[in-house]
Structures are given as structure tokens and as C-alpha cells.
Amino acid sequence: MSILDKMVKDGDGRFWGFLGCRYIKGDGKEVQIGLTAGEHHTNSMGIIHGGVLTSLMDQAMGMVATAAMEVDGCVTTNLNVHFLAPMKQGELIVTSTVLHQAGRSVTTQSEVRDATGTLGCMATATFRIARPRT
């Protein structure tokens, strides 16, 4: 079982499952996850809550970082988010890639698009190995 498959399997009873994340595809260079955003993901203005979008990007970037470093786990040490357009209920696709890898750290980028391809937000993050592969 790949590290990404294990993360998805283990995530069902955790925050991943609570959010409603769905694994689409991935490897050590790119990970794609999805979410069917519902009313419970919205804020008081009826748009998808920024915390949901940030969590999705952090999750996908953590997955690609873990796969790229071939470790059992990593933690976010820095996260920068830019909100570009309001996202509404419906399908959201998150794509995360590796920008740079050195030693125990990896820098990633991520974006969230809706079903029409509108870019809602983007982020960069740095991760550090928390659990080397055993």
C-alpha cells in the first residue's frame, strides 16, 4: 500500500473524513483531492469558509510533501494563503505540487478550483519531516 493510500485509509475517522475529502490521484510530485462542498462548509455570507479552503490545501500539500520525502509523516511549518474568488457549494478540486525539496524540508504550492475552473485560492507551505519511514 502506498503512503498516499495509507493516509486516505487512516483519514476516514479523522479531520479528512470530517471535511468530506476525496482522494483523486497523486504521487511524489502532485496530489489532487476533491470535495463536494455543501451548506455546512459555508460561512454567514453563503460562500465556502476560508478555513475549509485552507484546510483542503494544507491537507493536499501535506500529502504531496509526505509522498515526495517518502516518510510516514510531516508537519506544516509555514502556510501562506491567498483568497482570489469566492467559492460556492459544489465540486472543488485541489491540486498541490512540490516546488523545492532540501534535507528535512519541502516547499509546496496548492490551488483550489471549482467545477468551472475558477481559481478560488492558492497557497504555499513548507513541511518538515515528523516521522521518518520505519
Side-chain angles (χ1 to χ4, degrees):
M1 175 183 298
S2 78
I3 188 66
L4 293 172
D5 291 329
K6 183 178 180 333
M7 290 175 79
V8 171
K9 181 178 177 277
D10 292 348
D12 285 340
R14 296 197 164 95
F15 194 61
W16 165 275
F18 176 75
L19 272 178
C21 297
R22 179 175 75 253
Y23 177 68
I24 298 172
K25 65 179 180 175
D27 56 32
K29 295 182 181 181
E30 180 180 284
V31 164
Q32 208 170 57
I33 65 173
L35 173 75
T36 304
E39 186 175 4
H40 61 286
H41 293 110
T42 62
N43 62 19
S44 61
M45 294 185 299
I47 60 176
I48 304 304
H49 192 287
V52 171
L53 299 170
T54 301
S55 293
L56 288 169
M57 291 186 293
D58 185 41
Q59 177 67 51
M61 288 186 290
M63 292 172 77
V64 77
T66 299
M69 292 190 290
E70 298 180 352
V71 296
D72 287 335
C74 62
V75 294
T76 311
T77 60
N78 183 298
L79 177 65
N80 298 295
V81 178
H82 300 272
F83 299 102
L84 306 170
M87 295 282 95
K88 297 184 170 87
Q89 294 180 52
E91 291 304 311
L92 301 176
I93 302 296
V94 185
T95 304
S96 296
T97 57
V98 172
L99 289 174
H100 179 72
Q101 187 174 347
R104 296 174 49 95
S105 295
V106 62
T107 302
T108 60
Q109 66 181 3
S110 190
E111 61 180 36
V112 178
R113 293 183 182 270
D114 66 14
T116 67
T118 300
L119 178 61
C121 55
M122 58 170 291
T124 57
T126 303
F127 294 83
R128 185 158 176 85
I129 294 173
R131 290 187 310 192
R133 182 157 274 179
T134 54

